[in-house]
Short mmCIF file of all heavy atoms in Angstrom, two decimals:
data_model
loop_
_atom_site.label_atom_id
_atom_site.label_comp_id
_atom_site.label_asym_id
_atom_site.label_seq_id
_atom_site.Cartn_x
_atom_site.Cartn_y
_atom_site.Cartn_z
N TYR A 218 -21.78 -8.85 49.41
CA TYR A 218 -22.99 -9.25 50.20
C TYR A 218 -23.69 -10.29 49.33
O TYR A 218 -23.79 -10.06 48.12
CB TYR A 218 -24.00 -8.02 50.38
CG TYR A 218 -23.38 -6.87 51.10
CD1 TYR A 218 -22.79 -5.92 50.54
CD2 TYR A 218 -23.40 -6.95 52.56
CE1 TYR A 218 -22.15 -4.79 51.31
CE2 TYR A 218 -23.03 -5.94 53.31
CZ TYR A 218 -22.31 -4.76 52.57
OH TYR A 218 -21.78 -3.87 53.37
N THR A 219 -24.07 -11.38 49.85
CA THR A 219 -24.53 -12.49 49.11
C THR A 219 -25.60 -13.33 49.98
O THR A 219 -25.34 -13.55 51.17
CB THR A 219 -23.36 -13.41 48.70
OG1 THR A 219 -23.85 -14.45 47.85
CG2 THR A 219 -22.60 -13.97 49.77
N LYS A 220 -26.43 -13.91 49.32
CA LYS A 220 -27.52 -14.81 49.94
C LYS A 220 -26.90 -16.24 50.18
O LYS A 220 -27.21 -16.83 51.20
CB LYS A 220 -28.77 -15.06 49.11
CG LYS A 220 -29.44 -13.65 48.89
CD LYS A 220 -30.55 -13.92 47.87
CE LYS A 220 -31.45 -12.58 47.62
NZ LYS A 220 -32.48 -12.90 46.69
N THR A 221 -26.00 -16.62 49.27
CA THR A 221 -25.34 -17.90 49.60
C THR A 221 -23.93 -17.91 49.00
O THR A 221 -23.50 -16.93 48.30
CB THR A 221 -26.19 -19.06 48.65
OG1 THR A 221 -25.93 -18.77 47.27
CG2 THR A 221 -27.53 -19.24 49.03
N VAL A 222 -23.24 -19.00 49.42
CA VAL A 222 -21.75 -18.99 49.13
C VAL A 222 -21.38 -20.36 48.65
O VAL A 222 -21.87 -21.32 49.25
CB VAL A 222 -20.83 -18.72 50.34
CG1 VAL A 222 -19.38 -18.79 50.00
CG2 VAL A 222 -21.23 -17.24 50.83
N LEU A 223 -20.74 -20.47 47.54
CA LEU A 223 -20.01 -21.66 47.04
C LEU A 223 -18.55 -21.50 47.16
O LEU A 223 -17.93 -20.71 46.33
CB LEU A 223 -20.57 -21.95 45.57
CG LEU A 223 -19.73 -23.20 44.87
CD1 LEU A 223 -19.89 -24.51 45.69
CD2 LEU A 223 -20.24 -23.32 43.52
N ILE A 224 -17.94 -22.31 48.05
CA ILE A 224 -16.50 -22.45 48.15
C ILE A 224 -15.83 -23.38 47.13
O ILE A 224 -16.14 -24.53 47.29
CB ILE A 224 -16.03 -22.70 49.55
CG1 ILE A 224 -16.79 -21.77 50.49
CG2 ILE A 224 -14.53 -22.72 49.67
CD1 ILE A 224 -16.33 -22.13 52.02
N ALA A 225 -15.17 -22.87 46.13
CA ALA A 225 -14.54 -23.72 45.17
C ALA A 225 -13.10 -23.35 44.90
O ALA A 225 -12.66 -23.14 43.86
CB ALA A 225 -15.39 -23.58 43.88
N GLY A 226 -12.53 -23.18 46.00
CA GLY A 226 -11.02 -22.57 46.01
C GLY A 226 -9.90 -23.53 45.85
O GLY A 226 -8.85 -23.33 46.26
N GLY A 227 -10.28 -24.67 45.32
CA GLY A 227 -9.22 -25.73 45.10
C GLY A 227 -8.54 -26.06 46.35
O GLY A 227 -9.24 -26.44 47.30
N VAL A 228 -7.26 -26.13 46.36
CA VAL A 228 -6.51 -26.36 47.65
C VAL A 228 -5.99 -25.25 48.42
O VAL A 228 -5.24 -25.22 49.32
CB VAL A 228 -5.32 -27.33 47.32
CG1 VAL A 228 -5.67 -28.73 46.71
CG2 VAL A 228 -4.33 -26.65 46.28
N GLY A 229 -6.52 -24.02 48.05
CA GLY A 229 -6.15 -22.86 48.69
C GLY A 229 -5.00 -22.13 47.91
O GLY A 229 -4.63 -22.49 46.80
N ALA A 230 -4.38 -21.09 48.52
CA ALA A 230 -3.26 -20.57 47.98
C ALA A 230 -2.08 -21.52 47.89
O ALA A 230 -1.87 -22.25 48.89
CB ALA A 230 -2.81 -19.26 48.90
N PHE A 231 -1.16 -21.43 46.90
CA PHE A 231 -0.19 -22.52 46.78
C PHE A 231 1.08 -21.93 46.32
O PHE A 231 1.16 -20.87 45.75
CB PHE A 231 -0.62 -23.55 45.73
CG PHE A 231 -1.10 -22.92 44.49
CD1 PHE A 231 -0.18 -22.67 43.38
CD2 PHE A 231 -2.38 -22.63 44.15
CE1 PHE A 231 -0.52 -22.06 42.16
CE2 PHE A 231 -2.76 -22.10 43.04
CZ PHE A 231 -1.88 -21.78 41.98
N THR A 232 2.17 -22.59 46.85
CA THR A 232 3.59 -22.15 46.60
C THR A 232 4.39 -23.49 46.22
O THR A 232 3.98 -24.51 46.82
CB THR A 232 4.25 -21.56 47.80
OG1 THR A 232 4.22 -22.37 48.95
CG2 THR A 232 3.56 -20.12 48.00
N PRO A 233 5.28 -23.41 45.35
CA PRO A 233 5.97 -24.60 44.95
C PRO A 233 7.02 -25.11 45.99
O PRO A 233 7.53 -24.36 46.74
CB PRO A 233 6.71 -24.23 43.77
CG PRO A 233 6.95 -22.80 43.93
CD PRO A 233 5.69 -22.28 44.54
N ARG A 234 7.01 -26.51 46.21
CA ARG A 234 8.06 -27.11 47.00
C ARG A 234 9.29 -26.91 46.35
O ARG A 234 9.51 -27.13 45.08
CB ARG A 234 7.63 -28.54 47.21
CG ARG A 234 6.38 -28.78 48.01
CD ARG A 234 6.12 -30.41 48.25
NE ARG A 234 4.87 -30.50 48.93
CZ ARG A 234 4.51 -30.56 50.16
NH1 ARG A 234 5.53 -30.12 51.04
NH2 ARG A 234 3.36 -30.68 50.54
N LYS A 235 10.37 -26.71 47.11
CA LYS A 235 11.73 -26.38 46.59
C LYS A 235 12.69 -27.32 47.18
O LYS A 235 12.52 -27.93 48.27
CB LYS A 235 12.12 -24.88 46.95
CG LYS A 235 11.18 -23.87 46.44
CD LYS A 235 11.56 -22.43 46.67
CE LYS A 235 10.61 -21.47 46.10
NZ LYS A 235 11.16 -20.02 46.15
N LEU A 236 13.75 -27.52 46.54
CA LEU A 236 14.96 -28.34 46.96
C LEU A 236 15.66 -27.59 48.08
O LEU A 236 15.83 -26.36 48.00
CB LEU A 236 15.92 -28.71 45.84
CG LEU A 236 15.29 -29.56 44.75
CD1 LEU A 236 16.36 -29.80 43.66
CD2 LEU A 236 15.08 -31.06 45.31
N ASN A 237 16.01 -28.26 49.17
CA ASN A 237 16.80 -27.66 50.14
C ASN A 237 18.25 -27.76 49.86
O ASN A 237 19.12 -28.38 50.42
CB ASN A 237 16.54 -28.51 51.50
CG ASN A 237 17.20 -27.86 52.69
OD1 ASN A 237 17.45 -26.53 52.80
ND2 ASN A 237 17.41 -28.64 53.71
N LEU A 238 18.65 -26.72 48.84
CA LEU A 238 19.99 -26.59 48.42
C LEU A 238 20.35 -25.15 48.56
O LEU A 238 19.68 -24.25 48.08
CB LEU A 238 20.21 -27.07 47.03
CG LEU A 238 19.94 -28.54 46.71
CD1 LEU A 238 19.98 -28.84 45.24
CD2 LEU A 238 20.86 -29.43 47.46
N ASP A 239 21.56 -24.91 49.17
CA ASP A 239 21.98 -23.46 49.19
C ASP A 239 22.24 -22.83 47.83
O ASP A 239 22.90 -23.48 46.97
CB ASP A 239 23.30 -23.46 50.09
CG ASP A 239 23.04 -23.73 51.47
OD1 ASP A 239 21.92 -23.58 51.97
OD2 ASP A 239 24.12 -24.20 52.14
N GLY A 240 21.81 -21.66 47.66
CA GLY A 240 22.17 -20.79 46.45
C GLY A 240 21.28 -21.22 45.31
O GLY A 240 21.49 -20.69 44.23
#
Side-chain angles (χ1 to χ4, degrees):
Y218 303 91
T219 184
K220 297 177 184 177
T221 64
V222 175
L223 170 57
I224 305 173
V228 294
F231 51 90
T232 56
R234 296 184 185 275
K235 301 183 179 184
L236 290 174
N237 186 24
L238 296 175
D239 291 336

